[in-house]
Amino acid sequence: MKTIIKYDLLYFKKTSKFIVFGILGVFLAGLSALTAKYFNLIIEFSLGQEGIDITLPEPTVLESYTQFFSNFTQIYVFVLMFVAIMFFIQDKTRGHYPLLFTKPIYRSHYLLSKSIVITATVVVSYFVSALFFGYYTYFLFGEFDVGLFLIASLAFIAFMLLMVHLGLVFSVVFKTYLGAIMVPIAIFILFGLLTPLDGGIMKYLPQHLLVYPVSLMAQSVETSVVVITSLIALGISGGLIYLSIKLFQSKSLI
Amino acid sequence: MTILEVRHLNKYYDDFKALDDVSITVKANEVYGFIGRNGAGKTTTINSILSLIDFQSGEIFFDGKEVSKRTMYDKRHIGYVPDVPSFPRYLTARDFLAFVYDTYQLPVNEKEEAIKAALFKVQLEDTSKKISGYSRGMKQRLAIAQALIHKPKLLVMDEPTSALDPIGRKDILDIIRALKKDLTIFYSTHILEDAQKVCDTIGLIEKGRIVFEKPLKEIINHQKQAFYMETDSPVNEVLKCLKGSDFVNDEALFNGGVLFTLKDVDKLVSFQKYINDKMIGITLLRPHEKTLEDVFVEVLNENNH
């Protein structure tokens, strides 16, 4: 297991994916705080040039949180899915399986390693970005709610891991990158459409993790609901890993 | 001692029967040539042996232990060289060999020595370059090096020379010759000339069925006796004459003379008399040593009739 994790980490290191995730995350984090602080000023200035005199309200720290989670949902999650699915499926599409699986490598260890490495990448790169965002937000707005932001981050990470592990299942099912990426993206879009359904136990369904981080920062949703939904999403991710392993073990490799 | 035994293997791809009751026995310390046309079932058999694909029925034993995709004993003791090896392009040869070595959980303090020894065996020296910059021949050498790094009991090679130029092919055959002293090699190829150069035993597969499995010497010696003949008459007339005789089979023009097999070698004198009676003067008559290719074509023709 240690060996295959080393092999997977080598991929991230040698192809500079670690740096890509880090730079993207930090860039989006900085951009979020800046946009929140100065977007109204930019609009006022632009409209003023056109002769329209308008005064927008002073931005609050909530706008910074909203920008951060929007940017991460719209850009970071997509990049993550594209990279993660490439990472999962490339040994198959590039024909590495015959050399890999004629070695004493358990198929379960192979997939677990992929899951561990991508989870570590998501968590580390997210928290580096979040740290930068927290510092910059505090610098620009003079306040930052660390406790709530940590819970919101847990929810957001749980959502990202759910999407990544959906990708893992479809990387096992499909033989091509395109096939493996299309279904998780379709599910992601479907999740967006299903967020209004929040009555009763529906509020615990994982698609709400798309909006819960912002709602939590605005204190318009109970913390317990966010935590339970996050744990459900993590549980589903665990189930998806198990399903991937079972599917992988039952399939011919070539 | 038998090191690899395949018993009654059957494999279907939907309705197509790719392997039909395939049984193979590979003895320790021999080079087993697994020959057959493209699409005959060689790679499917190898993929089954290596647990890369599932099969519908049959059993495979390596060193007395049953092989399946969950067993690790076979994976620890078999080295595999694919026809067109594909490596992670971002790694160097040294990186890849280190990874392969680690998968076998061998002593860490012997790793560098093992990498050097494997590279030396295949004469691959520049290991600082990324694999993406390697030629086909270099990749094939690296494939052999990674298959040898754990000192396997059995080396499975799936058409290792098929994608190489003549020089690369010769180099790989030289490596096989050097390796055959120390380990058992299961060598699949459709290049019969190569098989004849290095193999001890031949298994011929055709349309998913094993046609024969015999020592190479036995195959060459026990086939119907072939002769090459030159005469003072035009070859076409000689050929026509042979066609009308009851003595010969498979007559054909060959290097300005005629190649044929006698139905009964003991009737060689009678055959010569028959030719003389036709007013044809024999200037040269000698046994023609058959190549594996001759045998291959002959057996397949018989098989198809």
Side-chain angles (χ1 to χ4, degrees), chain B residues 259-276:
Chain B
L259 197 64
F260 59 91
T261 52
L262 274 183
K263 287 177 183 170
D264 184 350
V265 182
D266 295 337
K267 292 192 175 161
L268 182 61
V269 177
S270 314
F271 167 74
Q272 283 175 292
K273 188 174 176 301
Y274 166 78
I275 294 292
N276 285 333

Side-chain angles (χ1 to χ4, degrees), chain B residues 29 31 176-185:
Chain B
N29 295 105
V31 179
I176 294 172
R177 275 195 203 96
L179 292 173
K180 68 186 278 189
K181 296 171 211 151
D182 305 317
L183 81 163
T184 312
I185 301 176

Side-chain angles (χ1 to χ4, degrees), chain A residues 150-166:
Chain A
L150 275 177
I151 298 169
S153 293
L154 165 74
F156 194 69
I157 286 174
F159 178 75
M160 285 196 287
L161 292 181
L162 177 68
M163 294 313 300
V164 157
H165 288 107
L166 272 170

Side-chain angles (χ1 to χ4, degrees), chain A residues 1 3-4 6-7 10-12 14-15 90-91 94-107 246 248-254, chain B residues 11 47 50-54 69-70 72 75-76 78 80 82 85-92 95-96 99-100 102-104 111 130 143 146:
Chain A
M1 182 81 165
T3 306
I4 195 79
K6 253 165 71 180
Y7 167 77
L10 212 54
Y11 167 75
F12 271 83
K14 297 263 179 178
T15 58
Q90 59 145 355
D91 284 331
R94 293 186 180 164
H96 300 156
Y97 277 180
L99 282 185
L100 281 178
F101 290 100
T102 47
K103 311 288 176 287
I105 295 170
Y106 288 101
R107 295 186 190 190
K246 285 289 157 198
F248 197 42
Q249 284 174 334
S250 68
K251 282 172 99 78
S252 285
L253 291 176
I254 43 178
Chain B
K11 164 78 183 169
N47 288 340
L50 299 169
S51 318
L52 292 171
I53 57 170
D54 297 323
K69 53 190 170 191
R70 286 188 170 81
M72 288 293 143
K75 288 159 193 77
R76 285 187 200 288
I78 294 177
Y80 170 56
S86 176
F87 300 96
R89 297 165 57 84
Y90 49 88
L91 295 181
T92 64
D95 290 337
F96 188 73
F99 159 67
V100 170
D102 289 341
T103 62
Y104 293 104
K111 182 154 74 174
K130 280 189 181 171
Q146 62 82 36

Side-chain angles (χ1 to χ4, degrees), chain A residues 20-95:
Chain A
V20 169
F21 273 113
I23 290 175
L24 178 68
V26 169
F27 171 74
L28 290 177
L31 187 71
S32 303
L34 273 175
T35 312
K37 182 73 181 173
Y38 298 112
F39 190 65
N40 286 359
L41 281 179
I42 294 167
I43 289 180
E44 280 174 15
F45 177 75
S46 305
L47 292 176
Q49 296 276 310
E50 301 293 322
I52 304 165
D53 199 14
I54 188 169
T55 307
L56 292 167
E58 186 68 19
T60 66
V61 70
L62 183 62
E63 276 161 76
S64 186
Y65 300 137
T66 307
Q67 278 296 332
F68 177 81
F69 287 114
S70 303
N71 285 342
F72 266 66
T73 305
Q74 286 158 14
I75 301 169
Y76 190 85
V77 173
F78 267 94
V79 173
L80 173 69
M81 279 165 60
F82 278 101
V83 172
I85 290 170
M86 171 60 82
F87 169 58
F88 296 149
I89 207 168
Q90 59 145 355
D91 284 331
K92 188 193 303 190
T93 55
R94 293 186 180 164

